[in-house]
Amino acid sequence: MKMKKKFTGVLAAGLTLALVMSGCSSGTKDRGTDTSAADKPKTESAGGSPVEITFWNMFGGGEGDFVDQIIKGFNDSQKEVTVKQLRLESNEYYAKLGTALSSSKGPDVAVAHVDRISPFVKAKQIVPVDELAGKVGFDLKQITESNMESVTYDGKPYAVPLDTHFHMFYYNKDILKKADLLNEDGTPKLGEMTPEGFEKTLADIHAKVPDVQALAVNTPYFQEPFLNLYYEAGGDILNADMTKAAINNDKALKVLNFYMDLYKNKYSDLNDKNPWDTFLNGKAAFWFGGVWEAGLLLGDQSKNIGAMPLPPIFGSQTHWASSHTLVIPSYVSPEKQEAAAKFMKYFSEVGGKTWGQAGHVPANSNVTASEEYKNLPYRSAFIEAQKTVKFAPPTDKYTTIITTISESLQNIIFGNETPEDGLANMEKQINEVLDN
């Protein structure tokens, strides 16, 4: 049976990557209301001790520190549920999660990127969360509509979105000042918002500050900067019913030729294997960087870095996005499912304030509306950029498709194929994936 997915807002489609797309159909279910205490199963064991649940995630580094704070806050806030976490390496996380879900042995609640949950829904390995949310008094209407739509299949939400993450346009004020491209308010002078106009800005930087890259491009993960501008141009990866590739077109070709020009003219370094460090270390004027980099890039004022939504170089500000979500496996007992729902509620409503400090834009609109969140650096720009995101197409074959896109793009930018041949081959390979 083919799943149908509803997307009614201006947001539909996007992408999840290591550094880190549309469909039609039925209406969404009522998002849950509180039930009486008499209807609620107990979430304490028979002896009165807390129910212990295991939480799997892949968050390391600074993100992991914030998750540690959220788990400790939850465990200290009540005596019904205790969360124990297992943190796995990101490069092995989904292989191990997939095995756990298939064998019915693993976490009671787990993190999953939004573009990873479709196969779990199809295989009935995770449960809908609306009724569980109602049992613990968690109003899912707090979650932004676009986030809830991204996890809704056949009218049922199968995950609790924690955030939206995407790229911002970071800029080095010191370099722009040297190039006479900094406004008095500290924002960049970008000129005409067309590919040609933006290239002129980069040419000005290259001429006046020749010892830096005008734009550090994430060449090692080139699918990210490509999709940002391809989505700006109005492109899609798949057709509306997700049966065929829709990426071999003039929009994709123009974006590829734009980037090839940047490499050719030395505005960007094709061989830069660590462009994120290049920008951080003051050796690039511009960078399409993740919101999760905000603490690193904006936390140190001596770096003199600013941030704004991606400029509409190709006509719009639609851009790639993904989301971390929480899911509950189907094998989990009803008692532990409800315990997991209590943790989900806390993570969204309370922990969201902590999670927002990591840079991700919390999916809970009550959190983003709080003064505490809005007082964080550049968060008003983050909220503005969130309005025009594009999530991944909800197909269970997406992981294979994005791997195909990534590999094909590498062949193109390094000259192994022309953009025209590369796009044609990419289309053929994606269609083969969809047909099998």
Side-chain angles (χ1 to χ4, degrees):
M1 182 185 73
K2 183 175 180 178
M3 292 183 299
K4 295 184 178 179
K5 197 169 190 304
K6 181 184 176 186
F7 286 84
T8 57
V10 295
L11 311 172
L15 166 67
T16 293
L17 305 162
L19 289 179
V20 175
M21 226 197 276
S22 59
C24 54
S25 142
S26 55
T28 55
K29 183 179 176 66
D30 178 70
R31 292 179 178 165
T33 55
D34 197 5
T35 58
S36 67
D39 295 329
K40 298 181 182 179
K42 294 180 180 179
T43 51
E44 288 185 328
S45 61
S49 58
V51 174
E52 183 175 299
I53 59 173
T54 303
F55 171 43
W56 281 20
N57 66 80
M58 76 297 280
F59 297 120
E63 288 181 320
D65 293 340
F66 289 116
V67 172
D68 291 345
Q69 293 177 42
I70 293 168
I71 293 172
K72 184 179 187 304
F74 174 72
N75 287 340
D76 291 347
S77 71
Q78 43 73 53
K79 297 181 179 180
E80 295 180 337
V81 182
T82 298
V83 173
K84 301 285 187 181
Q85 73 166 320
L86 176 62
R87 183 170 292 148
L88 301 170
E89 292 295 327
S90 59
N91 60 352
E92 63 183 19
Y93 181 77
Y94 285 105
K96 291 192 173 182
L97 180 60
T99 299
L101 294 178
S102 297
S103 63
S104 298
K105 294 179 181 179
D108 302 304
V109 59
V111 169
H113 285 87
V114 67
D115 41 58
R116 292 281 192 158
I117 67 173
S118 182
F120 301 152
V121 175
K122 184 178 181 180
K124 298 182 179 179
Q125 293 175 333
I126 59 176
V127 300
V129 298
D130 51 342
E131 292 182 8
L132 285 169
K135 288 179 180 179
V136 300
F138 182 16
D139 184 2
L140 293 178
K141 291 181 180 178
Q142 296 176 82
I143 309 297
T144 63
E145 184 178 0
S146 60
N147 280 113
M148 288 309 303
E149 287 173 349
S150 72
V151 299
T152 298
Y153 294 78
D154 291 332
K156 302 284 285 186
Y158 279 81
V160 171
L162 297 178
D163 59 49
T164 311
H165 51 270
F166 45 84
H167 294 109
M168 296 294 290
F169 187 59
Y170 293 100
Y171 51 91
N172 185 299
K173 298 178 186 179
D174 293 333
I175 295 174
L176 294 183
K177 188 174 183 179
K178 290 180 183 178
D180 298 321
L181 291 173
L182 191 68
N183 292 312
E184 290 185 7
D185 65 355
T187 58
K189 298 177 183 177
L190 294 178
E192 182 181 290
M193 272 300 99
T194 62
E196 297 77 18
F198 189 69
E199 279 198 56
K200 183 180 184 305
T201 299
L202 300 181
D204 288 345
I205 296 170
H206 182 66
K208 295 175 181 177
V209 196
D211 59 333
V212 304
Q213 292 184 55
L215 171 66
V217 176
N218 196 352
T219 305
Y221 298 92
F222 183 69
Q223 64 271 24
E224 296 181 0
F226 169 79
L227 284 171
N228 277 325
L229 298 191
Y230 179 56
Y231 288 162
E232 281 195 357
D236 285 304
I237 293 176
L238 305 179
N239 63 2
D241 60 3
M242 296 181 292
T243 57
K244 294 291 180 182
I247 200 168
N248 182 16
N249 52 50
D250 287 343
K251 295 170 183 176
L253 184 59
K254 288 177 181 178
V255 170
L256 281 172
N257 284 333
F258 168 80
Y259 278 115
M260 299 296 274
D261 277 350
L262 303 194
Y263 293 131
K264 177 183 176 182
N265 293 318
K266 308 299 182 184
Y267 305 152
S268 304
D269 182 359
L270 178 62
N271 297 307
D272 187 350
K273 293 180 169 50
N274 300 288
W276 42 88
D277 284 339
T278 297
F279 180 76
L280 175 65
N281 294 327
K283 293 299 182 180
F286 296 134
W287 169 242
F288 295 173
V291 291
W292 56 91
E293 299 175 62
L296 186 65
L297 298 178
L298 304 176
D300 183 352
Q301 293 187 358
S302 69
K303 298 287 185 184
N304 214 9
I305 291 171
M308 60 183 284
L310 297 184
I313 300 168
F314 277 80
S316 79
Q317 288 186 284
T318 304
H319 54 111
W320 165 85
S322 186
S323 170
H324 295 110
T325 76
L326 294 178
V327 297
I328 299 176
S330 302
Y331 58 74
V332 176
S333 69
E335 179 186 45
K336 289 196 172 186
Q337 285 186 11
E338 186 167 326
K342 290 185 176 183
F343 176 60
M344 288 174 158
K345 171 182 167 69
Y346 180 91
F347 201 128
S348 176
E349 295 179 346
V350 181
K353 297 176 182 178
T354 302
W355 195 230
Q357 297 175 37
H360 305 291
V361 179
N364 192 308
S365 57
N366 290 347
V367 174
T368 54
S370 69
E371 291 302 315
E372 183 179 351
Y373 178 78
K374 290 189 289 187
N375 286 335
L376 293 171
Y378 292 93
R379 287 329 192 260
S380 60
F382 286 20
I383 294 173
E384 188 65 26
Q386 184 189 30
K387 296 176 182 177
T388 52
V389 298
K390 190 177 180 82
F391 287 110
T395 169
D396 57 299
K397 298 179 178 180
Y398 181 72
T399 300
T400 306
I401 290 170
I402 194 56
T403 300
T404 298
I405 292 173
S406 174
E407 293 173 350
S408 296
L409 289 172
Q410 290 293 316
N411 282 331
I412 293 170
I413 62 174
F414 282 101
N416 298 324
E417 290 183 302
T418 66
E420 292 84 356
D421 289 345
L423 288 171
N425 287 332
M426 187 190 305
E427 177 184 44
K428 179 182 177 181
Q429 292 177 55
I430 292 173
N431 284 336
E432 288 174 353
V433 172
L434 293 170
D435 289 341
N436 292 324

